[in-house]
Amino acid sequence: MKLISWNVNGLRAVAGKGFADIFTELDADFVCLQETKLQEGQIDLEFLGYTSYWNYADKAGYSGTAIYTKHLPISVTRGIGVDEHDHEGRVLTLEMEEFYLVCVYVPNSQDGLRRLDYRMRWEDDFRAYVSGLAARKGVVICGDMNVAHEEIDLKNPATNHFNAGFSDEERAKMTELLGAGFVDSWRAQHPGEAKYSWWSYRMRARERNVGWRIDYFLVSEGFKDHIVSTDILNDIFGSDHCPVELVLRT
């Protein structure tokens, strides 16, 4: 079973850059999207054999998540049940027979870390949410988690130490999440490899491969034996992020 996660940085924009062909070629069981930047009814983009589910932000043109799936879920949940967080369309959960699939677009702490205090509350509430799911069955979390966890996860750790996405506080919260019983599937399979999933649009960053790994598949500890393979598909363009892949044995 193949799962894809991709921050498309505007689904309408990437739809004009070959998204449909990429989607078809990937031939995944689940395609999870972040930062769709859509409101309901703003795009008609369906694929034969797939059902799609969406979570929209209240604010137009902002955030948003979606999942295309070949497999009908038992249930669909939008948000994490905390009102402070559930107006930006950031979390979409499908309950499948063997596992929960959680598509997430984690809030950015922004320049000067001005949204860091909110981000810290989000992290604690999100960790509580997915831990509750993991108490019932396996959990797969995917998405743009807006943090490079270790120095190997970005090209220039020294110069980014106090920047959003690589602050001590954000990195510590990822450590807490993993410590709560989740496995970073890519790092587990590629312990010494530096490969990136996001590049700034500035300074020819992608051309120079000056990137960050901020897109993840996390798997609950009890479900990790289902991992077959992981990949970062950095030869696929259309967004400032590339897709990431997880193949599961089910």
Side-chain angles (χ1 to χ4, degrees):
M1 178 178 285
K2 183 196 290 189
L3 299 89
I4 294 291
S5 177
W6 193 7
N7 179 322
V8 292
N9 193 10
L11 185 54
R12 283 175 293 181
V14 80
K17 301 176 183 177
F19 176 79
D21 290 337
I22 294 168
F23 186 103
T24 301
E25 290 171 13
L26 287 169
D27 190 27
D29 293 270
F30 299 89
V31 177
C32 303
L33 306 178
Q34 304 89 44
E35 209 171 356
T36 55
K37 298 182 178 179
L38 291 171
Q39 304 303 116
E40 187 170 6
Q42 286 190 313
I43 198 169
D44 181 11
L45 187 62
E46 297 297 335
F47 297 93
L48 185 64
Y50 290 85
T51 304
S52 64
Y53 300 92
W54 305 77
N55 192 9
Y56 305 104
D58 292 353
K59 179 181 176 181
Y62 181 72
S63 189
T65 47
I67 301 176
Y68 289 86
T69 173
K70 291 181 177 179
H71 309 276
L72 291 178
I74 296 169
S75 66
V76 180
T77 302
R78 294 168 177 84
I80 61 174
V82 178
D83 186 69
E84 181 183 18
H85 307 309
D86 286 350
H87 295 274
E88 296 187 351
R90 292 187 177 274
V91 182
L92 181 60
T93 303
L94 302 190
E95 181 184 0
M96 312 307 296
E97 184 175 348
E98 293 189 69
F99 63 95
Y100 291 97
L101 175 59
V102 181
C103 176
V104 59
Y105 176 40
V106 171
N108 190 301
S109 294
Q110 300 184 352
D111 292 342
L113 301 177
R114 64 182 185 274
R115 210 182 187 198
L116 183 62
D117 288 345
Y118 171 72
R119 169 73 176 263
M120 295 297 97
R121 296 194 302 275
W122 158 275
E123 293 281 358
D124 291 340
D125 291 337
F126 182 72
R127 186 174 65 255
Y129 172 70
V130 293
S131 295
L133 297 180
R136 299 198 282 273
K137 64 174 75 173
V139 176
V140 177
I141 304 167
C142 69
D144 175 0
M145 304 196 75
N146 259 317
V147 62
H149 185 218
E150 303 290 354
E151 290 192 351
I152 194 174
D153 293 319
L154 73 167
K155 183 70 171 181
N156 294 315
T159 56
N160 283 290
H161 187 194
F162 299 105
N163 289 338
F166 198 61
S167 68
D168 291 341
E169 295 89 344
E170 291 163 308
R171 296 170 65 194
K173 288 299 184 184
M174 175 59 88
T175 299
E176 283 189 60
L177 179 57
L178 297 176
F182 294 91
V183 175
D184 177 350
S185 63
W186 164 264
R187 187 55 65 210
Q189 290 207 323
H190 307 268
E193 185 174 350
K195 197 171 183 180
Y196 309 126
S197 66
W198 174 80
W199 303 262
S200 170
Y201 280 131
R202 303 172 184 171
M203 303 293 291
R204 303 183 0 262
R206 188 157 189 176
E207 181 182 336
R208 297 162 50 227
N209 198 29
V210 179
W212 301 48
R213 186 177 74 95
I214 60 175
D215 300 272
Y216 294 80
F217 272 102
L218 307 183
V219 176
S220 56
E221 186 74 32
F223 204 64
K224 67 180 181 181
D225 290 343
H226 292 260
I227 298 171
V228 176
S229 65
T230 61
D231 205 354
I232 297 175
L233 306 178
N234 59 5
D235 57 342
I236 294 179
F237 292 79
S239 170
D240 52 348
H241 296 250
C242 73
V244 294
E245 176 185 289
L246 174 67
V247 177
L248 291 176
R249 182 184 303 107
T250 58

